[in-house]
Amino acid sequence: MKRNTIGKAITVLSLAALGSLVPGLLRPAATGKKPPERSPRILKTQFSYTAEVSEIPAGINVLDVWLPIPSDTAMQKITGLKVDSSQPYRITQEKKHGNRMVYFRIENPKKSFSSVVTFTIERFKPENSSENHNGVHPEGYLKADSRVPVGGRFLSLAQEIIKDKTDPMEKMRAIFDNTVATMQYDYNKESPRLGEGDVAFVCDYRKGNCSDLHSYLISLARSVGIPAFLEYGFPIVGIPFSDTIPTEGKIAGYHCWTWFYISGKGWIPLDASDSRRWLDAKKADIAEKLFGDLVLERTAVAFSKGRDIILEPPQKNAPLNYFIYPYAEADGKSVKASWELSYKILSNGKH
């Protein structure tokens, strides 16, 4: 995962604005008066997502391309979705996680293919939660994934971490704290399995990116009966924040975070990976807030969730470990699909 590149127009991010990203970061002076309540902030961003297959082998009969697109959730609203392509397409949705995509089936393709999808996202803090998350019941996120085991060694480890705690929220907090304290973020990309979310490997290697750290956390959570899943999206800033945020630019890599479910409370977000990074940046106050909260600019758009994804219509090859980038097959064989994602901040304020 790479940081976003420098954009064109620049807007100042003051300390007050940073405090509004994570409420409570900047504490008011002790005046004896109750500070006024802040209105919820909305980050409104326009995205342009380009998918390209530049080298289609000669003699191919059919090229299939799947491009992920976001869905409305408790934390975002999508408007103005537009697909710009000379090829026919349809919008589909896979069954396991509810992820959406634009699907192209091109017969007798030429040497290359490209398409651009544009949309606007209003991103905000969720005002409520529910039993289902985009149609998926919490019980659907208690089972193991191919690289995220449940039980056995990981149940024993989780039990050591939670000790005698019985409250599910306290259990999850202990797992979160353990992940942040014992795992390192792999800034130099040294891991031979970076981003794969291979929990057995990460548990021993103790280092990885957001996909790796959250997969470890999810394995422990599910092992003690707490439903949890990984959500993938894109950030528009890195860590730590500088004094300026580009209002437009290109994004070079994904970010991901976790949602977990507590009966009576619903789905709750956390970001253990960014908490580790904020600690490394000597910003412990921000790190503390990422259990139960997300920084909007670090989660500017959510695209998809889960692992072991079978697309719609199904791909010929194995299920995808995650679905955040375009995927393509030529006559049923996987071929390289490149991508480019650009953004433009339309507004970054309150209701």
Side-chain angles (χ1 to χ4, degrees):
M1 181 179 62
K2 302 176 181 177
R3 293 187 179 182
N4 58 298
T5 55
I6 300 300
K8 298 177 181 178
I10 301 297
T11 182
V12 174
L13 177 65
S14 65
L15 288 176
L18 182 57
S20 70
L21 295 180
V22 186
L25 170 61
L26 301 176
R27 305 184 187 279
T31 61
K33 296 181 180 180
K34 182 179 179 180
E37 294 185 2
R38 292 190 178 96
S39 298
R41 232 172 32 91
I42 293 180
L43 174 64
K44 187 174 184 179
T45 312
Q46 184 180 69
F47 290 91
S48 178
Y49 200 166
T50 300
E52 183 176 9
V53 181
S54 58
E55 299 179 2
I56 301 175
I60 292 299
N61 295 313
V62 176
L63 176 70
D64 295 294
V65 181
W66 296 261
L67 175 63
I69 56 173
S71 301
D72 287 341
T73 71
M75 200 171 175
Q76 69 184 25
K77 179 182 179 181
I78 305 156
T79 57
L81 180 68
K82 179 183 178 183
V83 181
D84 184 6
S85 176
S86 61
Q87 301 293 336
Y89 67 88
R90 56 192 175 101
I91 294 177
T92 64
Q93 187 174 32
E94 53 86 22
K95 298 177 177 62
K96 183 178 180 180
H97 305 286
N99 296 319
R100 296 201 307 162
M101 63 208 76
V102 181
Y103 170 66
F104 301 87
R105 184 173 178 85
I106 306 146
E107 297 183 355
N108 301 315
K110 298 179 181 180
K111 293 182 179 180
S112 64
F113 161 85
S114 66
S115 177
V116 180
V117 178
T118 55
F119 51 88
T120 297
I121 294 284
E122 287 185 324
R123 189 81 168 151
F124 40 82
K125 295 183 183 301
E127 296 180 355
N128 52 55
S129 55
S130 65
E131 289 289 323
N132 296 326
H133 198 286
N134 284 7
V136 181
H137 194 273
E139 291 182 359
Y141 291 111
L142 280 172
K143 299 178 181 179
D145 297 319
S146 59
R147 304 184 193 188
V148 183
V150 171
R153 170 191 181 188
F154 304 99
L155 173 58
S156 298
L157 179 57
Q159 290 172 334
E160 290 177 8
I161 293 168
I162 65 177
K163 300 186 186 309
D164 59 351
K165 294 178 175 63
T166 58
D167 180 79
M169 185 69 80
E170 292 181 0
K171 292 180 180 180
M172 196 66 199
R173 180 65 202 229
I175 292 171
F176 173 86
D177 289 344
N178 172 268
T179 302
V180 175
T182 65
M183 292 287 173
Q184 298 299 313
Y185 191 85
D186 193 356
Y187 296 101
N188 297 323
K189 299 178 175 57
E190 297 170 336
S191 172
R193 300 183 187 177
L194 186 68
E196 294 181 8
D198 187 333
V199 174
F201 174 80
V202 173
C203 191
D204 295 329
Y205 193 71
R206 315 304 294 178
K207 184 187 294 187
N209 72 354
C210 54
S211 173
D212 300 316
L213 271 59
H214 286 124
S215 293
Y216 167 80
L217 177 147
I218 288 169
S219 178
L220 300 183
R222 291 178 180 177
S223 292
V224 293
I226 300 175
F229 66 83
L230 195 59
E231 186 169 55
Y232 284 85
F234 290 98
I236 57 175
V237 294
I239 294 176
F241 289 178
S242 65
D243 291 336
T244 58
I245 291 180
T247 57
E248 58 182 283
K250 293 181 180 179
I251 296 172
Y254 69 80
H255 182 46
C256 59
W257 48 93
T258 292
W259 290 84
F260 66 98
Y261 182 81
I262 301 295
S263 180
K265 298 181 182 295
W267 289 101
I268 301 167
L270 63 80
D271 194 336
S273 171
D274 269 12
S275 183
R276 176 68 259 174
R277 294 183 67 179
W278 281 114
L279 282 179
D280 293 341
K282 311 301 182 184
K283 297 289 185 180
D285 286 342
I286 304 179
E288 168 69 19
K289 297 297 181 180
L290 294 183
F291 181 82
D293 202 356
L294 299 172
V295 175
L296 294 184
E297 278 78 355
R298 288 288 297 162
T299 61
V301 55
F303 263 80
S304 63
K305 61 179 180 287
R307 295 197 181 276
D308 301 338
I309 297 170
I310 299 175
L311 303 172
E312 180 59 39
Q315 68 272 36
K316 299 295 184 184
N317 286 279
L320 302 184
N321 191 27
Y322 54 86
F323 184 45
I324 187 66
Y325 302 132
Y327 177 74
E329 293 181 344
D331 286 349
K333 296 182 180 180
S334 179
V335 293
K336 181 180 179 181
S338 59
W339 64 279
E340 182 176 282
L341 180 62
S342 60
Y343 74 91
K344 181 178 182 180
I345 297 175
L346 302 181
S347 63
N348 191 3
K350 301 176 182 179
H351 279 298

